[in-house]
Every structure is written in C-alpha cells, then in structure tokens.
Amino acid sequence: MSGASQEPFDLLVHRMTWEATDVLSVDLVHPQGKPLPAWTPGAHIDLHLDGLVRQYSLCGDPADPARYRVAVLNDPASRGGSAYVHRALRPGASVTVRGPRNHFELADAGAYVFVAGGIGVTPLLTQAREAGERGRPWEFWYAGRSRASMAFGEELGQLAAADRTVTLHPKDEHGRLDLDRVLTRVPADALVYCCGPERLTSAVRAGCAALGLLDRLRVEHFAAAPADGNGADGEGAGEERAFEVECVRSGVTVTVGPDEAIVDALENVGVLVDASCRDGVCGTCEVPVLEGELDHRDMVLSDAERAAGDTVLVCVSRCRSQRLVLDL
Ligand code: FES
C-alpha cells in the first residue's frame, strides 16, 4: 500500500471529458491550487457521490501533483455512483475524496502482460506507462464491446514501441479475446496484471491456474465476488458461526453474530473503523490482527498477505477460531 491519506478532503471538478461511449473522465483539482497527495500506478481514490462512496482507479499522470483523473463508466448495473457522475456531476462542483490508496502496485518484473476488459483499462494504463519508464517490455491486451466503447485506446497506442505492443480487441469485430493465446506466450520473467469485469478476471485466473502461472497473476477487482457462502480463499464456509472479537487497545470485547459484519459489531460498541465499499474491494477497513484464525473474504489482500495473517478486512472477512484479537 502507498500514499494513503485517511482524512477526506474536498476537490473541485475541473473538467469532464467524453472518452468513449458511456465513459466520462473527471479531472479533479484542489480548490486553492495546492498539490494533491502523491500516488503510484494502480492506486484508487474514494469519491463521495450523493451519499455513496465509490472507488475509482487514478488514470492520469502520477508525476502531475495538480490533478487527479478518474474515468467513470455509466454502468446500468451501477448501484448509483456512476449514474450520479454521468447525470448530475458537472465541472465546478465540489467532491469529497479520500485516498489515494494502492492495493494494486506494479511489482518489479522483467516484463509484463496486461489484460484489460472495458473500464478496467484505467489502472493498467498507468501501470503500462510506468513499466515503459522502467525500461521493461510489455504486451497490452485490451478487450471491449466495440471500438467506440473503449476509452484511452489512442493514449495506449502512443505508449507502444518495438518491445511494447498494444492489441485492441473489440468483441463486435473479433469475438472474444482468446486468453489461451495470450497466456501461453507469457514470458518466463513476466507478471500478468488483469483488471476488468468478473467474467474476464475469473477466466484469466482459471487460465493462469491451468498453466501454472497463478503466482505471477495480479488482479484488480471492480466488485466483490458473488456472495455464495464461500470465502475468497475458495473454501466453503458452510453455516456461519458467531465469534468474539477483542480490541486490546480499546479494552472492548464484542460477539460478532453469524449474519453480522465485524465492522458493524465494532461500531455497535463504539469502536469505529473507517469503511468505504463494505464489499471487500477497497481496502479501507484493513486492521492489524494479533491473534485468531482468519477467514479472508476480501478481494484485496495478496496470497502472501493472507498467509502472513497480520491484517484483516473487517467489512467482509470472518474468523474460524472462537476469538479474534485486534490491535484496535
Ligand atoms: Fe472496502 Fe472493507 S470497506 S474493503
């Protein structure tokens, strides 16, 4: 994680640009022209939109402290945030922002393969630019419904070079992206970065698993995996059980019911934890763990972070042991 600023602050909408069918980019600046908190490729910010808090990847230039840029798809499945941006937000408006945070850092590698679906292009665009600046070769595969719906295709094309290739793959022209073709040619020293709709990220995950590439895959999720009673660890959770949470610094112990989130149980006894998406995708509610057998259900922590077991995202994750001890 990097550059996290926990306190919300207000920015001005400076410009909105129609980037592609149903995709608006939003440039945000400080009302007094002050520099904004630094960020790294893969980072996102929270936007407070009409009573909702939504996460958007930063897709501008990390070297430009004067502005943040996000891109927002007017998604019919939206729970309200993107519809508000498209219908009501306009230049000159004030927006409350929190962050930036980065759970999708570009790790060091000899080469990269980027696989984007639709608006999932946004974090990968900045990562591809960064990878190029690091002098690393990469391939960028960008799938979308149609050419008109694919934002930043031109910007991506400008990053292409002899050892950096960009392939735009509109479905209405070429059908579905052939992931076997993409993944079987991943260089031995490459990491695979993927962001897009659940169908794409799941297919890339399955393809990487079949080819023994899972440890080289990094995925950014838009939304939580379907609630099917299974943890993100892939283990069937069966019936939920209650457990106790002890907050050592607050001196409070609370029982978390079978249908209750840890964050809610803590709130009920006055232990407040920052939470944003409450869906296990943004990382805001990560807290330090001192003891307990964790059942991670978020889409944020890496396998290594899960194995270390020293933090938990309390909006979705649970505890398999009777007692979870938090450094809160
Ligand atoms: Fe977003 Fe918990 S609030 S991961």
Side-chain angles (χ1 to χ4, degrees):
M1 272 173 279
S2 71
S5 165
Q6 296 301 321
E7 288 306 313
F9 52 98
D10 290 340
L11 295 182
L12 269 185
V13 177
H14 175 73
R15 179 183 300 145
M16 297 176 77
T17 308
W18 191 249
E19 301 286 357
T21 304
D22 285 334
V23 178
L24 270 173
S25 69
V26 182
D27 283 7
L28 299 162
V29 299
H30 192 280
Q32 282 90 44
K34 292 185 184 166
L36 304 178
W39 60 282
T40 49
H44 71 266
I45 52 173
D46 294 351
L47 294 187
H48 294 239
L49 300 166
D50 198 29
L52 302 163
V53 182
R54 293 290 178 260
Q55 291 73 43
Y56 296 97
S57 295
L58 288 167
C59 59
D61 179 1
D64 178 5
R67 77 192 56 228
Y68 288 157
R69 182 175 70 171
V70 297
V72 181
L73 170 69
N74 191 13
D75 180 357
S78 150
R79 291 175 294 171
S82 67
Y84 176 80
V85 169
H86 277 255
R87 288 190 207 128
L89 196 69
R90 292 295 175 260
S94 176
V95 181
T96 302
V97 172
R98 188 163 60 178
R101 281 192 187 78
N102 199 342
H103 293 285
F104 195 45
E105 291 272 8
L106 188 70
D108 210 12
Y112 299 91
V113 174
F114 299 103
V115 185
I119 198 67
V121 68
T122 49
L124 302 184
L125 168 65
T126 61
Q127 290 182 329
R129 191 181 293 122
E130 166 75 15
E133 283 167 11
R134 291 183 193 174
R136 301 292 195 264
W138 50 253
E139 292 178 8
F140 200 115
W141 301 86
Y142 180 12
R145 281 194 328 274
S146 63
R147 217 165 270 272
S149 73
M150 297 168 70
F152 306 123
E154 207 176 308
E155 218 168 312
L156 261 177
Q158 287 166 2
L159 301 178
D163 57 354
R164 291 172 221 148
T165 59
V166 176
T167 306
L168 265 52
H169 197 93
K171 189 173 159 207
D172 63 350
E173 292 176 30
H174 305 299
R176 259 190 210 205
L177 179 60
D178 181 354
L179 287 174
D180 279 349
R181 183 169 146 238
V182 172
L183 297 174
T184 47
R185 41 185 275 174
V186 170
D189 59 348
L191 288 175
V192 179
Y193 277 76
C194 175
C195 183
E198 187 63 32
R199 196 180 53 225
L200 175 77
T201 57
S202 298
V204 170
R205 186 175 286 280
C208 284
L211 293 165
L213 296 173
L214 262 190
D215 60 333
R216 292 201 269 139
L217 173 65
R218 307 287 182 271
V219 176
E220 172 89 318
H221 293 271
F222 287 165
D228 57 0
N230 287 342
D233 289 346
E235 294 181 28
E239 231 171 74
E240 303 289 10
R241 288 184 310 135
F243 54 93
E244 277 191 342
V245 176
E246 178 185 351
C247 303
V248 282
R249 280 192 283 126
S250 324
V252 168
T253 298
V254 63
T255 300
V256 178
D259 299 322
E260 196 176 21
I262 299 174
V263 67
D264 293 331
L266 293 177
E267 262 171 32
N268 288 341
V269 291
V271 180
L272 302 183
V273 176
D274 274 344
S276 176
C277 70
R278 292 180 181 259
D279 249 349
V281 294
C282 76
T284 310
C285 67
E286 185 174 1
V287 301
V289 171
L290 298 172
E291 204 182 304
E293 195 191 329
L294 297 166
D295 178 5
H296 293 289
R297 300 187 181 187
D298 62 273
M299 311 298 279
V300 173
L301 296 181
S302 65
D303 289 345
E305 288 168 324
R306 282 159 195 264
D310 45 17
T311 64
V312 64
L313 298 172
V314 290
C315 65
V316 289
S317 294
R318 299 188 66 80
C319 180
R320 293 195 182 98
S321 50
Q322 250 326 295
R323 193 172 186 81
L324 174 63
V325 184
L326 300 176
D327 189 12
L328 277 179

